[in-house]
Amino acid sequence: MRLARKVTAMAMASMMVVSMAACGGGDSAETTTAAPAETTTAAAADATTEAAKDAAEETAKEAEAAGGAGGNIGVCIYKFDDAFMTTYRNALQEILEGKGYTVTVMDGKNDQAEQNNQINNFIAQEVDALIINPVMTSAADQIIATVKDADIPTVLINREPTAEQMSTYEKLVYVGCDARQSGTMQGELILDTPNKGDINGDGKVSYIMIQGDPENVDAQYRTEFSVKALTDAGMQVEELDLQRGDWDRNKGQEIAQNDLAKFGNDIEVIFCNNDDMAIGALQAIQAAGRKVNEDIYLVGVDALDAALNEVVNGNMTGTVLNDANGQAAGAVEAMEALLGGKTYASGEQSIYVDYVKVTPENAADFQ
């Protein structure tokens, strides 16, 4: 049952008390012949009616203030075997269940058609709200149209639609991070090294880029802004290779292995759009006999536990904290605001949680 129906039902139940009290007062008035008694009974009935009305209003206010606690929430994750989204969904579920919600989390298995079916099933079940991590950013229009037609408050996470797309539905909000910031911080990690990434001193930073899903806006921005940070600082750059790694550790390892064999010592920096691919690249670096922070630099994004360990041990130059717990808390807060009746104007539908630059000096603080 949807939240609005719950509030209505509680209000109707209280009004039934009003009706019964009024009828009872009428019966008493009919059996009393003295005028003063009729007046007294009528006044009592009026008082009972007002008290019941007040109780109904208070019940509705309490339900609204609770933001729908105890309701049914559907959560769609693009795929369960993504390391970062595993941390994110576990945090989401813990927060929601801790607030008394009934939560169902579905694995989209990296298949947009599968996720579309899951969203439609949640709608048929009349969940109170949806939290959706889209499989494909390009599916945003369809997802938004579907939840709008069903009039279900919806929070999109991790993969951000355009402001124009979101503006079509006022009960929709995006909670995530600005991927431009994470890319910039990756570039800054390289600029913070003693030679600013130019290990061989030839006047330019030669790099390979292991990208996530090129359709994903996070991958696009991390790819662009990591390099832009270098050029904005006056560094010359040379892209030796850019390949799609789909956020996958094995693909990261394979791409780095092939590029290290092809370009050898010309590679000074390996940029990875996430930590899983960076850990795969690290395996290739070590197998090739290279040493991170001595003859090659390696940076990722997410600050996964495994990556933090490598940063602490000097096997990664750094990473960028993608705050899964903070984003999960923000997503739940936004969802409760929507359940409480809040709507979002065009241009105000994106809520950002800051990234944090992680270096060997502070990595232990995040473990």
Side-chain angles (χ1 to χ4, degrees):
M1 183 179 292
R2 299 281 293 280
L3 175 64
R5 296 179 186 175
K6 294 177 185 175
V7 174
T8 302
M10 287 187 287
M12 289 178 64
S14 297
M15 292 308 296
M16 287 175 65
V17 176
V18 173
S19 176
M20 291 171 64
C23 290
D27 291 342
S28 299
E30 288 175 3
T31 58
T32 304
T33 56
E38 290 176 1
T39 302
T40 301
T41 304
D46 288 342
T48 303
T49 300
E50 286 301 315
K53 285 181 179 178
D54 289 343
E57 291 175 359
E58 187 63 27
T59 299
K61 287 178 181 178
E62 288 176 356
E64 182 175 352
N72 294 317
I73 310 301
V75 179
C76 295
I77 302 298
Y78 95 99
K79 67 173 183 175
F80 277 8
D81 60 356
D82 180 294
F84 173 73
M85 287 312 302
T86 296
T87 302
Y88 197 142
R89 67 181 167 87
N90 288 341
L92 262 179
Q93 189 159 0
E94 182 178 352
I95 295 170
L96 288 166
E97 291 178 349
K99 287 175 167 283
Y101 294 98
T102 298
V103 186
T104 304
V105 186
M106 301 299 297
D107 181 2
K109 301 176 183 177
N110 206 25
D111 183 335
Q112 190 59 60
E114 174 78 12
Q115 186 175 78
N116 291 343
N117 289 333
Q118 293 166 357
I119 293 170
N120 288 328
N121 287 338
F122 277 137
I123 290 171
Q125 295 164 17
E126 296 190 332
V127 295
D128 296 303
L130 286 168
I131 298 177
I132 302 173
N133 165 216
V135 172
M136 299 172 62
T137 307
S138 59
D141 285 326
Q142 180 180 359
I143 291 171
I144 293 169
T146 299
V147 298
K148 179 181 179 181
D149 287 345
D151 194 34
I152 292 184
T154 300
V155 179
L156 299 179
I157 60 172
N158 191 248
R159 295 179 173 183
E160 183 178 11
T162 66
E164 182 180 3
Q165 288 172 315
M166 290 191 289
S167 69
T168 61
Y169 185 37
E170 71 279 1
K171 295 182 183 179
L172 176 78
V173 65
Y174 169 79
V175 175
C177 296
D178 184 346
R180 289 166 290 199
Q181 185 186 47
S182 63
T184 299
M185 287 182 175
Q186 282 191 305
E188 290 172 350
L189 286 167
I190 301 304
L191 291 170
D192 290 340
T193 63
N195 45 33
K196 298 184 178 181
D198 183 14
I199 294 173
N200 60 21
D202 65 353
K204 63 180 183 292
V205 177
S206 301
Y207 70 90
I208 67 169
M209 180 72 65
I210 304 179
Q211 192 176 40
D213 175 359
E215 184 195 68
N216 185 298
V217 68
D218 283 10
Q220 295 166 11
Y221 282 149
R222 289 173 188 172
T223 297
E224 176 185 357
F225 281 81
S226 57
V227 177
K228 185 175 185 296
L230 298 181
T231 57
D232 285 351
M235 300 297 294
Q236 297 295 315
V237 298
E238 178 186 21
E239 180 183 279
L240 298 174
D241 194 19
L242 185 157
Q243 287 199 47
R244 171 179 182 156
D246 286 325
W247 315 110
D248 183 79
R249 183 176 302 192
N250 292 332
K251 290 184 179 180
Q253 189 274 338
E254 180 183 352
I255 292 168
Q257 176 180 295
N258 291 339
D259 281 351
L260 285 164
K262 181 177 181 180
F263 300 106
N265 291 333
D266 288 343
I267 301 175
E268 296 170 297
V269 176
I270 298 182
F271 286 108
C272 297
N273 283 174
N274 78 340
D275 281 343
D276 244 12
M277 295 188 298
I279 292 170
L282 174 60
Q283 294 168 348
I285 289 170
Q286 293 173 332
R290 303 283 292 273
K291 177 64 177 175
V292 172
N293 295 330
E294 292 185 11
D295 59 19
I296 194 168
Y297 295 118
L298 172 66
V299 291
V301 177
D302 284 339
L304 298 178
D305 287 343
L308 290 172
N309 289 336
E310 300 298 354
V311 174
V312 168
N313 293 328
N315 295 322
M316 282 181 61
T317 307
T319 184
V320 181
L321 173 67
N322 193 4
D323 188 358
N325 292 315
Q327 290 178 68
V332 174
E333 182 179 352
M335 181 203 75
E336 292 192 316
L338 289 169
L339 287 173
K342 182 173 182 177
T343 57
Y344 289 83
S346 176
E348 299 177 353
Q349 292 171 280
S350 290
I351 300 172
Y352 294 123
V353 177
D354 280 337
Y355 286 99
V356 179
K357 188 161 51 176
V358 180
T359 66
E361 289 71 32
N362 68 355
D365 296 339
F366 302 102
Q367 287 181 307

